[in-house]
């Protein structure tokens, strides 16, 4: 699993936007940021991917949510990494 996430970071067009990655026992957490503001958190735990928006993003009105994650208040989960993220990470 660690090699999978190393590949994401090496191939990612967003590597300058992903400010923090924490891999602990193959359960990584990605904090997605824009201009030092946290947009959301992508995590992987027990074979399931999770995405949720940060409190800052939920409160701001300047940026719209991602098309794949339209509800700012929902925690999204999937057994597979979302296709658009696979494209972004060039997997």
């Amino acid at each position: 699993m660690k090699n999978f996430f190393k590949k994401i970071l090496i191939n990612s067009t967003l590597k300058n936007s992903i400010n923090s990655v924490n891999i602990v026992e193959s359960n990584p957490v990605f904090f997605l940021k824009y201009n030092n503001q946290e947009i959301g958190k992508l995590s992987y735990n027990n074979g399931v991917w999770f995405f949720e928006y940060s409190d800052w993003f939920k409160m701001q009105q300047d940026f719209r949510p991602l098309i794949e994650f339209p509800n700012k208040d929902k925690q999204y989960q999937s057994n597979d990494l979302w296709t658009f993220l696979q494209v972004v990470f060039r997997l």
Side-chain angles (χ1 to χ4, degrees):
M1 186 60 76
K2 282 188 180 184
N3 288 337
F4 171 77
F5 294 105
K6 285 180 185 176
K7 181 178 178 183
I8 286 176
L9 292 176
I10 290 168
N11 293 335
S12 175
T13 59
L14 291 179
K15 59 185 161 187
N16 293 330
S17 298
I18 299 173
N19 292 45
S20 178
V21 177
N22 184 13
I23 300 175
V24 179
E25 296 178 13
S26 298
N27 293 328
V29 177
F30 298 86
F31 295 98
L32 305 174
K33 296 183 178 185
Y34 176 76
N35 287 340
N36 292 324
Q37 292 289 343
E38 185 178 320
I39 294 170
K41 179 174 69 172
L42 175 68
S43 59
Y44 183 81
N45 193 355
N46 294 324
V48 180
W49 288 96
F50 297 92
F51 179 82
E52 61 185 320
Y53 288 107
S54 68
D55 290 337
W56 171 82
F57 191 83
K58 291 176 187 178
M59 299 293 290
Q60 62 80 36
Q61 298 295 317
D62 295 328
F63 302 103
R64 289 189 233 162
L66 297 167
I67 292 171
E68 292 80 2
F69 305 130
N71 185 339
K72 289 182 182 181
D73 296 313
K74 181 177 177 181
Q75 182 186 56
Y76 294 88
Q77 61 183 25
S78 174
N79 291 331
D80 298 311
L81 183 61
W82 291 272
T83 303
F84 82 99
L85 287 173
Q86 291 179 24
V87 171
V88 168
F89 293 137
R90 297 183 192 177
L91 298 178

